[in-house]
Amino acid sequence: MSSAFGDVSTDDVVKFAAEFPLAWITPVADPAASLLMPLLIETDPAGQPVSVVGHLPRRAPATELLQQDGRAVFLFLGPNAYIPPAWVSKPGWVPTWNFLSLKILSDQAEIEDSLTRPAVEALVRHMESRQGSDWSVDDIGERYDTLLNQIIGFRSNITSAQPRFKLGQDETPAVHEEIKQALEPHPMAQWMK
C-alpha cells in the first residue's frame, strides 16, 4: 500500500472526524466488547487533536473495561466505494476499494458523571448545527435527566492519530479524474478534490 494514503493534513483529519463522528470504541483489554458510538475530537489552540469526547451506555461491557483499563482504539470509517475497471480507460486496470478511515489510540480514558452532560450537549450542538437546526437538549424537558442517567461521559487522550485516506492518490491524474467523475455525487468525490 502506498504511504501516500496516510499523508493527510491535521485539518483534514479533524474535518473528517467531524463529518463522520460514528466510530468503533474498542477497549484494548477486550476488543470483543467494541461498540459504535458518536464521538467528537477536541483540539488544542493550534488545531492539533488532543482528546476524544463521547458518552457510553452505563451497562455496556466496554464501559466497565475502560474504567478498569483506559486504553482504547477508536476506529472511524467514512465514505467508501468499490471502484470497478469499467470506470477507467486504462487497459489492464484492476478493481480497487477507496475509503477514508482514522485510527486513534489512547492510553487513558477519564469516565465520570461530570463529563456526561457536556459531552452530550457538545455532540447535539455539533450535529444540529450541521443540519442548520437550533434544536437543543432543552427541548427534551424533564425526560433529559432520565436519559442522562443511562449513560456516562468520557474523555480519552490521543496518543496517536493514524489516518488512511485511499482516494486514488497512487493513480495517474487521468485515472484519478475518471474515478472522481464516476463517483459524483458520492461523498468520496468531494474528498478526492
Side-chain angles (χ1 to χ4, degrees), residues 35-116:
L35 74 161
L36 278 168
M37 294 296 290
L39 305 172
L40 295 176
I41 292 181
E42 294 179 315
T43 58
D44 65 15
Q48 295 296 314
V50 293
S51 55
V52 175
V53 174
H55 63 279
L56 297 161
R58 284 189 186 270
R59 295 186 181 151
T63 305
E64 183 178 338
L65 287 164
L66 290 170
Q67 286 172 323
Q68 295 168 7
D69 177 351
R71 296 175 300 145
V73 178
F74 302 96
L75 303 170
F76 294 78
L77 178 61
N80 62 91
Y82 174 74
I83 313 297
W87 290 359
V88 175
S89 62
K90 184 177 178 181
W93 194 83
V94 297
T96 190
W97 206 287
N98 283 3
F99 57 86
L100 291 100
S101 67
L102 173 62
K103 177 170 56 174
I104 291 178
L105 306 179
S106 174
D107 63 4
Q108 182 181 1
E110 175 187 4
I111 301 173
E112 57 184 62
D113 288 318
S114 65
L115 296 171
T116 306

